[in-house]
Amino acid sequence: MPITQSLHAVPLQVLQDKATLLRIDSVLATTEAGSGHPTSCASAADIVSVLFFSVMRFDPRNPRQSDSDVFVLSKGHAAPLLYAAWAEAGAFPREHLLTLRKIDSDLEGHPTPRLPFVDVATGSLGQGLPAGVGMAFEAKQLRHSDQRIYVLLGDGESAEGSVWEAAQWAAFHRLDNLCATIDINRLGQSQPTMLEHHLEVYQRRWEAFGWQALPVDGHDIPALLAAYARAKETRDRPTVVLARTFKGKGLGASIENAEHWHGRALDRDTANQVVSELRKQLTGGENHWEPNLPPASPASGIAAPQPAATSAKPPYQIGGKEVATRKGFGDGLAALAPADPRVVVLDGDVENSTYTEDFQKAAPYRFLEGYIAEQNMVGMAMGLAARGHVPFAATFACFLTRAYDFIRMSAISNLNIKFVGTHAGVSIGEDGPSQMGLEDLAMMCAEPNFTVLYPSDATSAWRATWLLAAHSGPSYLRAGRPASPILYGPDEPFAIGKCKVLRRSGSDRALVVAAGVTVPEALRAHEALQQHGISIRVIDLFSVQPVDREELIGSAREAGRVVVTVEDHYEHGGIGDIVLAALAGERIRAFKLAVREIPRSGKPAELLDRFGIDSKRIVETVRSALG
Amino acid sequence: MPITQSLHAVPLQVLQDKATLLRIDSVLATTEAGSGHPTSCASAADIVSVLFFSVMRFDPRNPRQSDSDVFVLSKGHAAPLLYAAWAEAGAFPREHLLTLRKIDSDLEGHPTPRLPFVDVATGSLGQGLPAGVGMAFEAKQLRHSDQRIYVLLGDGESAEGSVWEAAQWAAFHRLDNLCATIDINRLGQSQPTMLEHHLEVYQRRWEAFGWQALPVDGHDIPALLAAYARAKETRDRPTVVLARTFKGKGLGASIENAEHWHGRALDRDTANQVVSELRKQLTGGENHWEPNLPPASPASGIAAPQPAATSAKPPYQIGGKEVATRKGFGDGLAALAPADPRVVVLDGDVENSTYTEDFQKAAPYRFLEGYIAEQNMVGMAMGLAARGHVPFAATFACFLTRAYDFIRMSAISNLNIKFVGTHAGVSIGEDGPSQMGLEDLAMMCAEPNFTVLYPSDATSAWRATWLLAAHSGPSYLRAGRPASPILYGPDEPFAIGKCKVLRRSGSDRALVVAAGVTVPEALRAHEALQQHGISIRVIDLFSVQPVDREELIGSAREAGRVVVTVEDHYEHGGIGDIVLAALAGERIRAFKLAVREIPRSGKPAELLDRFGIDSKRIVETVRSALG
């Protein structure tokens, strides 16, 4: 049986047998695990067989090769199908499939990038397409590669708004190297989907969003091949294959297209019976397939040395004009544009507020306007990071809450994304609580692998931007709106994990830990307390996570184990908690100043006063603590 | 000039003059404030004039009257326009408009329910329509009222996926009492929108999503009137009025339809000039309007006594069959169905996992299937809560991150929503990290007005459900997946703000604070340590926020000020931080056991062990702390 490598040239019987094998392997693995989603695998088995064994050009032994086509399983609960396909393709031995969901196996319940063939973790629905859009943009616009991106979604999943955010963006940018497939198996977890098998409604929606939409019988292999061939030939717009399928297809009459079979493994007897029936359908074609090696191409990722974090300097002078930390970030980012070609920037239509517009001017082709769709913005950043770029994704800190599920999944994927939230805290003033980021530190610091920096002036913001670009791993930079004094000179060194001790004496009686906009308040409090003969130590925390535990412990001990934290953030989950946790073993007395109620509009100074985080309150707290 | 009250019967000149007045007031207020979005008000002034002074039936002195039509300003940055309309309608004196954005004024930068005519805070885009869908469902399906819901969106805003989540749900439920308007003024904050003035694309998209879509010149008052009349007559589907407008309309040639005028107040000279030109257009019609009082109707909200939290009992017995806390919640919720008619339940297609299906069976008409679109699910809950219901919105804890921006805005609105997150922590087992809620406490506890309960067995979960139904205010209930022992009898009392001391002796040498799935671990540790002659105090935290500070302080003091916290949550923002904060003044030594890295698939017990939160680790930590 001759095997050739171009689309359509693989004999149908090979694809049919491979699909049957994928069903068999999905059933066996989930039954062995005692849990999982075999019926969600079965509906998509023909689609995946066609994609892997005819349509896609890839090398299973080197899936991240930069010209390999990419497959994203957005419906991550069909993980056993994904694993079966890669095993069939030769990425690893088939017998490993039976380690599914075990603690010492990387074949987890939902896919994660612990596996070399997974770019982004999935399992929270509606994230694969945004990530795929980021990858398609990267391939087409940044690398001019003919790499194609295939994303498989579930039908219930397409109720997620993020899918439509991604759809509109991909069409707007005419990403014809992107091909989505929706496995329209009619059944969600608890009941039928809203649209069931109404493919004509799907078609109208996707066409209205600017896509080529191809309805097809998702178990008809020639029809699938024809659809993917048409997608490949189509220019100027992405394609979605709308595949009408049956959940549990091929697993027997009592399971196929039946409700209440979502997320249930078959018991051993049923599984044996089903597998035995499936095996009868095999014709030997499953043994015939070889990888369709792409031409040699450079390794994936952007081959560029990262700049040394000291090769440039922030332009601000101590005592000079006041500059906002968001502007320090924007300036630092613009300076990175020529220095680090890995850096790409995304914004959600607020680049004239976050100052990413400075980068946009410097490197327009590496700037992605996300418009007002923060989930897709972060999803695209996931795709860009997975392909070796260093995306900075910026918006108001409060609006990053919109994308928390994506941020959480970025953490699971350990992606090298730099999130930037500006307009933190009540100090933004008159716009009011809806625009104030007051839970962003809680949200970001919860992720255990996140680096979190919170600069207090434009110089440290500039430095933080460069530090994060050079650092590998998910990160968050918190910036403020108001112009604030320059506290550090251009040669001041900063490091992840290190704080700055701004005031220190041998007679300090309390330690005040501030960050961002409260640092100048703490310095004012220091001055006021000096006039009462009280010395305090003042720390600018700068690195919230990891935190400078050593300096905090040393300073707390030297300052009478009396600690005051002050922050423009809600009470729980911010720098107060981080500092308390670092000092948990120290038998300290601590006082946390933070925003303790829902704030309101007003002038920044009025709000710092009203919500108890200004110098006056620091002074009162220290004096009361010292009795 | 005769004023009649039905649609169309108000003279056009009145509506034109009112629109001009709204523009004048929007300019004056923002110029006085020195900030704000006058151009975003000006584009929608004609729409708002038509809605308020001809289309809507409402009583400005009693806007929450249950049959009053509702107006939701989803583009919350046009707040000055909203305030001007209500002032024109007689809700408050016009001169108050000049207090815009001042700290002692409720006329905040973006609308909040501090104002009697605002149901839900807006200012984070894409939330008004989901809330409006909840209100429209409430009026039509729960009250059979002919109340109509009008939502005004921006065009940049309609890039938010949540808008499309709401659109599909409203069409699926044929909410013909819902009418959206999109103010298509072509310009976002930083640049033109993706679709600019391509109304035909908007039309295709909304029609594909099942809406009647009516393109119209948004400055043509007769055309607007005709569109709203058609909307009112249309049955079986919602209507969207696609209004082609110009940003800054009427504010002069240099401002109208010009870029870089987003979010900028006019300086005084420009404002005076603009206002003087606008005043010339007034014909006297602005003085002619009276409220079109609706017929007398009962006050808004569901008139039903809330059940005493002790009027029923959980059915579980100590030592009986193990039951998951999610099942305790589901049972408690089902028992609430007949007891409290205010309660409505929303789920995101996982009701057979969260056990809200038990409520669904008991009260199908008060169950809203949200499908896989968590943002709209929470948005609808916002609308339902604003109209006096007590919505429980449930899904996996991890997927509530999807709606964090909505949860945050619920906090700002102080809405009476009960969020429920099941499948918390690594103890869910094999499904892996994407399905594990590990940052949910950080997210929820950050909101200062949230009540957060975390029951450890089915009895306390049942009680927590009833406590939260009776409690007024936004709340979160955290529940787990695995079956776990019944620790409390049916008569055990529980209270918000109170923990449970499970083990106490006069010789306790350490305090162990646990919650949820770690409580049985702590009890096992207690037993193991007893065998080494070490007594520990064991607290089941139960009420995470507010926390039982008094008992924690007393117990910490009696247990040698050595405190160990143990939780199935990431390290930062969970119960460890809450306990440390409560004990901040106590000079304790504390040890926090929590999940400190991204977890993986495995069996629950293996994962508790691997990530260091099982009884063995508690024993080790206590012994090491005591030297």
Side-chain angles (χ1 to χ4, degrees):
Chain A
M1 190 185 287
I3 307 287
T4 59
Q5 306 311 335
S6 65
L7 187 55
H8 280 211
V10 180
L12 289 185
Q13 205 50 55
V14 170
L15 300 177
Q16 267 153 9
D17 284 352
K18 289 284 189 193
T20 301
L21 260 194
L22 297 180
R23 289 192 171 93
I24 290 170
D25 283 343
S26 299
V27 167
L28 289 175
T30 49
T31 292
E32 174 68 23
S35 64
H37 302 75
T39 60
S40 303
C41 296
S43 61
D46 302 299
I47 296 162
V48 167
S49 174
V50 165
L51 284 172
F52 271 69
F53 305 112
S54 176
V55 175
M56 284 177 12
R57 186 184 66 166
F58 69 105
D59 178 358
R61 290 150 301 193
N62 184 14
R64 304 211 186 191
Q65 197 166 320
S66 67
D67 286 334
S68 272
D69 289 345
V70 175
F71 178 79
V72 180
L73 182 71
S74 192
K75 51 174 282 183
H77 52 290
L81 176 67
L82 178 78
Y83 305 154
W86 282 99
E88 287 301 327
F92 60 89
R94 261 185 81 198
E95 52 269 29
H96 286 188
L97 292 173
L98 294 179
T99 67
L100 179 72
R101 293 174 163 244
K102 298 202 191 320
I103 195 164
D104 49 2
S105 170
D106 286 342
L107 302 177
E108 298 195 72
H110 293 74
T112 74
R114 292 186 212 270
L115 294 163
F117 49 80
V118 173
D119 285 288
V120 293
T122 53
S124 180
L125 296 170
Q127 301 203 9
L129 190 63
V133 170
M135 290 192 258
F137 180 88
E138 195 271 340
K140 184 173 178 179
Q141 307 286 19
L142 300 181
R143 269 192 301 113
H144 308 292
S145 158
D146 61 354
Q147 184 181 34
R148 289 181 62 77
I149 315 295
Y150 293 90
V151 181
L152 178 61
L153 296 88
D155 52 351
E157 172 175 13
S158 65
E160 286 284 12
S162 56
V163 170
W164 300 99
E165 294 181 6
Q168 71 192 349
W169 203 94
F172 187 67
H173 285 271
R174 304 177 180 281
L175 297 178
D176 50 19
N177 58 337
L178 176 65
C179 179
T181 305
I182 308 190
D183 174 20
I184 303 176
N185 65 23
R186 198 185 65 84
L187 294 172
Q189 169 171 333
S190 300
Q191 76 259 293
T193 62
M194 276 183 278
L195 299 181
E196 301 204 30
H197 270 149
H198 288 286
L199 265 68
E200 74 285 1
V201 180
Y202 282 97
Q203 185 173 7
R204 277 201 296 273
R205 291 187 184 177
W206 284 90
E207 286 177 354
F209 272 73
W211 287 52
Q212 169 171 248
L214 304 176
V216 66
D217 175 346
H219 302 306
D220 178 339
I221 285 175
L224 286 165
L225 286 168
Y228 291 117
R230 186 153 157 206
K232 222 171 197 170
E233 288 154 12
T234 300
R235 292 288 161 269
D236 285 338
R237 55 187 169 146
T239 294
V240 60
V241 175
L242 302 168
R244 184 176 192 274
T245 62
F246 293 101
K247 202 158 178 169
K249 173 74 177 179
L251 308 192
S254 66
I255 298 176
E256 189 172 312
N257 199 25
E259 288 196 50
H260 311 302
W261 268 103
H262 181 94
R264 284 174 61 190
L266 281 57
D267 62 47
R268 285 202 184 273
D269 285 351
T270 312
N272 287 340
Q273 208 177 337
V274 164
V275 167
S276 145
E277 287 301 315
L278 285 168
R279 285 221 168 98
K280 289 180 195 159
Q281 298 168 22
L282 294 174
T283 66
E286 74 274 17
N287 301 316
H288 297 272
W289 183 81
E290 281 178 20
N292 48 3
L293 289 167
S297 57
S300 181
I302 308 311
Q306 59 187 43
T310 49
S311 64
K313 283 182 189 183
Y316 322 108
Q317 300 300 327
I318 297 176
K321 187 166 156 269
E322 295 199 343
V323 180
T325 51
R326 59 181 166 135
K327 181 62 176 156
F329 152 69
D331 288 344
L333 194 65
L336 268 173
D340 189 343
R342 303 171 311 153
V343 171
V344 294
V345 175
L346 305 96
D347 200 297
D349 191 28
V350 289
E351 52 266 31
N352 51 356
S353 292
T354 61
Y355 289 113
T356 61
E357 65 180 6
D358 298 338
F359 182 97
Q360 184 183 20
K361 283 170 198 150
Y365 294 104
R366 288 190 277 138
F367 181 87
L368 285 75
E369 176 56 68
Y371 296 95
I372 306 176
E374 294 78 7
Q375 295 189 92
N376 181 57
M377 176 180 80
V378 174
M380 292 195 298
M382 292 163 77
L384 288 157
R387 308 311 290 182
H389 286 274
V390 181
F392 279 74
T395 183
F396 286 21
C398 61
F399 299 137
L400 286 172
T401 59
R402 196 60 159 256
Y404 194 24
D405 196 20
F406 287 71
I407 292 166
R408 174 181 82 88
M409 294 295 288
S410 301
I412 291 172
S413 292
N414 200 36
L415 290 168
N416 192 22
I417 305 179
K418 318 303 169 182
F419 297 100
V420 181
T422 66
H423 295 66
V426 300
S427 51
I428 70 160
E430 292 85 348
D431 271 339
S434 65
Q435 316 296 301
M436 296 169 174
L438 283 161
E439 49 277 277
D440 55 320
L441 289 177
M443 172 170 87
M444 298 296 188
C445 292
E447 303 304 334
N449 53 350
F450 265 50
T451 298
V452 177
L453 300 183
Y454 184 9
S456 60
D457 79 340
T459 297
S460 49
W462 197 104
R463 289 283 183 203
T465 308
W466 279 60
L467 284 171
L468 292 182
H471 168 77
S472 178
S475 309
Y476 178 55
L477 172 62
R478 186 181 215 225
R481 178 180 181 276
S484 58
I486 304 301
L487 304 174
Y488 301 103
D491 294 312
E492 182 76 27
F494 287 86
I496 291 171
K498 291 290 174 191
C499 66
K500 288 287 167 186
V501 183
L502 292 182
R503 297 292 183 270
R504 182 199 293 268
S505 81
S507 56
D508 293 336
R509 296 173 60 196
L511 165 63
V512 173
V513 183
V517 74
T518 63
V519 171
E521 299 296 327
L523 294 175
R524 270 193 282 280
H526 176 272
E527 213 169 304
L529 285 163
Q530 284 289 59
Q531 293 171 5
H532 292 94
I534 299 170
S535 286
I536 58 169
R537 183 154 309 179
V538 175
I539 283 183
D540 173 0
L541 195 60
F542 180 67
S543 181
V544 183
Q545 187 162 294
V547 75
D548 193 345
R549 199 161 164 267
E550 195 182 343
E551 180 58 59
L552 287 172
I553 289 175
S555 277
R557 288 178 182 172
E558 290 167 23
R561 288 189 154 85
V562 173
V563 178
V564 177
T565 62
V566 53
E567 61 193 306
D568 194 359
H569 184 276
Y570 283 138
E571 180 184 358
H572 291 301
I575 72 159
D577 282 351
I578 292 282
V579 170
L580 256 66
L583 297 174
E586 292 301 308
R587 296 198 183 279
I588 57 164
R589 275 195 305 143
F591 305 86
K592 204 200 287 185
L593 302 180
V595 179
R596 288 171 188 270
E597 61 185 296
I598 303 293
R600 58 189 302 138
S601 291
K603 291 189 200 310
E606 290 172 337
L607 296 173
L608 292 186
D609 172 30
R610 169 79 69 107
F611 297 104
I613 54 170
D614 64 352
S615 62
K616 192 181 63 180
R617 191 66 64 94
I618 300 171
V619 168
E620 286 167 11
T621 305
V622 169
R623 295 190 70 178
S624 139
L626 299 179
Chain B
M1 191 185 287
I3 307 287
T4 60
Q5 306 310 336
S6 66
L7 186 56
H8 280 210
V10 180
L12 289 185
Q13 208 47 57
V14 171
L15 300 178
Q16 266 153 10
D17 283 353
K18 289 284 189 192
T20 302
L21 262 195
L22 297 181
R23 289 193 170 92
I24 291 171
D25 284 343
S26 299
V27 167
L28 289 175
T30 49
T31 293
E32 175 68 23
S35 65
H37 303 73
T39 59
S40 303
C41 296
S43 61
D46 303 300
I47 296 162
V48 167
S49 174
V50 165
L51 284 172
F52 271 70
F53 304 114
S54 176
V55 175
M56 283 177 11
R57 187 185 65 165
F58 69 105
D59 177 359
R61 290 151 302 194
N62 185 14
R64 304 210 186 191
Q65 199 167 320
S66 66
D67 285 335
S68 272
D69 289 345
V70 175
F71 179 78
V72 180
L73 182 71
S74 192
K75 50 173 283 185
H77 53 289
L81 176 67
L82 178 78
Y83 305 153
W86 282 99
E88 287 301 327
F92 61 88
R94 261 186 82 200
E95 52 269 29
H96 286 189
L97 292 173
L98 296 178
T99 68
L100 179 71
R101 294 176 161 243
K102 297 201 193 319
I103 194 164
D104 49 1
S105 171
D106 287 341
L107 301 177
E108 297 194 72
H110 294 74
T112 73
R114 292 186 213 272
L115 295 163
F117 49 80
V118 173
D119 285 288
V120 293
T122 52
S124 181
L125 296 170
Q127 301 203 8
L129 191 61
V133 170
M135 290 191 259
F137 180 88
E138 195 272 338
K140 184 173 177 180
Q141 308 285 22
L142 300 181
R143 269 192 301 112
H144 309 291
S145 158
D146 62 354
Q147 185 182 34
R148 289 180 62 77
I149 315 295
Y150 293 90
V151 181
L152 179 60
L153 297 88
D155 52 351
E157 173 175 12
S158 64
E160 286 286 10
S162 56
V163 170
W164 300 100
E165 294 181 6
Q168 72 192 349
W169 203 94
F172 187 67
H173 286 272
R174 304 177 178 281
L175 298 179
D176 49 19
N177 59 336
L178 176 65
C179 179
T181 305
I182 308 189
D183 176 19
I184 304 175
N185 65 24
R186 198 184 66 83
L187 295 172
Q189 169 171 332
S190 300
Q191 76 260 294
T193 62
M194 277 183 277
L195 298 181
E196 301 204 30
H197 270 150
H198 289 286
L199 266 67
E200 74 286 2
V201 180
Y202 282 98
Q203 185 173 7
R204 277 202 297 273
R205 291 187 184 177
W206 284 90
E207 287 178 353
F209 272 74
W211 288 52
Q212 169 170 247
L214 304 176
V216 65
D217 175 346
H219 302 305
D220 178 339
I221 285 174
L224 285 166
L225 286 167
Y228 290 117
R230 187 154 157 207
K232 223 170 196 169
E233 289 153 11
T234 300
R235 293 288 159 269
D236 286 339
R237 55 187 170 146
T239 295
V240 60
V241 175
L242 302 169
R244 184 177 193 273
T245 63
F246 292 100
K247 202 157 178 169
K249 172 74 177 178
L251 307 191
S254 66
I255 297 175
E256 189 173 312
N257 199 24
E259 288 196 49
H260 310 302
W261 267 103
H262 181 93
R264 283 176 61 191
L266 280 58
D267 63 46
R268 285 201 183 272
D269 285 351
T270 312
N272 288 339
Q273 207 177 338
V274 165
V275 166
S276 145
E277 287 302 315
L278 284 168
R279 285 219 169 98
K280 288 180 195 161
Q281 299 168 21
L282 294 173
T283 67
E286 74 275 17
N287 302 316
H288 297 273
W289 184 82
E290 282 179 21
N292 48 3
L293 288 168
S297 57
S300 181
I302 307 311
Q306 59 186 44
T310 50
S311 64
K313 284 182 187 182
Y316 322 107
Q317 301 300 327
I318 298 176
K321 187 167 155 272
E322 296 199 343
V323 180
T325 52
R326 60 181 166 134
K327 180 63 176 155
F329 152 71
D331 288 344
L333 194 66
L336 268 172
D340 191 341
R342 304 171 310 152
V343 171
V344 294
V345 174
L346 305 95
D347 200 298
D349 191 28
V350 289
E351 52 265 32
N352 51 356
S353 293
T354 61
Y355 288 114
T356 62
E357 66 179 7
D358 298 338
F359 182 96
Q360 183 183 20
K361 283 169 199 151
Y365 294 104
R366 288 190 276 138
F367 181 86
L368 285 75
E369 176 55 69
Y371 296 95
I372 306 174
E374 294 78 7
Q375 294 189 91
N376 181 57
M377 176 180 80
V378 174
M380 294 194 298
M382 292 164 76
L384 288 157
R387 307 312 291 185
H389 285 274
V390 181
F392 279 74
T395 182
F396 286 21
C398 60
F399 300 136
L400 287 172
T401 60
R402 195 61 160 254
Y404 193 24
D405 197 19
F406 287 71
I407 292 167
R408 175 181 82 88
M409 294 296 287
S410 302
I412 290 173
S413 292
N414 199 37
L415 290 168
N416 192 22
I417 305 180
K418 316 305 168 182
F419 297 99
V420 181
T422 65
H423 294 66
V426 299
S427 51
I428 70 159
E430 290 86 348
D431 271 339
S434 66
Q435 316 296 301
M436 296 168 173
L438 283 161
E439 49 277 278
D440 55 319
L441 289 176
M443 172 170 89
M444 298 295 188
C445 292
E447 303 304 333
N449 53 351
F450 265 50
T451 297
V452 176
L453 301 182
Y454 184 10
S456 61
D457 79 340
T459 297
S460 50
W462 197 104
R463 289 281 184 205
T465 307
W466 280 61
L467 285 170
L468 292 182
H471 168 77
S472 180
S475 310
Y476 178 56
L477 172 61
R478 185 181 217 226
R481 179 179 180 277
S484 58
I486 304 301
L487 304 174
Y488 301 104
D491 293 313
E492 183 77 27
F494 287 87
I496 291 170
K498 291 291 174 191
C499 67
K500 288 286 167 185
V501 183
L502 293 182
R503 297 291 183 272
R504 184 201 292 268
S505 80
S507 57
D508 292 336
R509 296 173 61 194
L511 164 62
V512 173
V513 182
V517 72
T518 62
V519 171
E521 300 295 327
L523 293 175
R524 271 193 282 278
H526 176 273
E527 212 169 304
L529 286 164
Q530 283 290 58
Q531 292 171 4
H532 292 95
I534 299 170
S535 286
I536 58 169
R537 183 153 308 179
V538 176
I539 282 182
D540 173 0
L541 195 61
F542 180 67
S543 181
V544 182
Q545 188 161 292
V547 76
D548 192 347
R549 199 163 163 267
E550 196 182 343
E551 180 58 59
L552 287 172
I553 289 175
S555 277
R557 287 179 182 172
E558 289 168 24
R561 288 188 155 85
V562 172
V563 178
V564 177
T565 62
V566 53
E567 62 192 303
D568 194 359
H569 185 276
Y570 283 138
E571 180 184 359
H572 291 301
I575 73 160
D577 282 351
I578 292 282
V579 171
L580 256 66
L583 298 175
E586 292 300 308
R587 295 200 185 278
I588 57 164
R589 275 195 302 143
F591 303 86
K592 203 200 287 185
L593 302 180
V595 180
R596 288 171 188 270
E597 61 184 297
I598 304 293
R600 59 188 302 140
S601 292
K603 291 188 201 310
E606 290 172 338
L607 296 172
L608 292 186
D609 172 30
R610 169 79 69 107
F611 297 105
I613 54 171
D614 64 352
S615 61
K616 191 182 64 181
R617 191 67 64 95
I618 300 171
V619 168
E620 286 167 11
T621 305
V622 170
R623 295 190 70 177
S624 139
L626 299 180

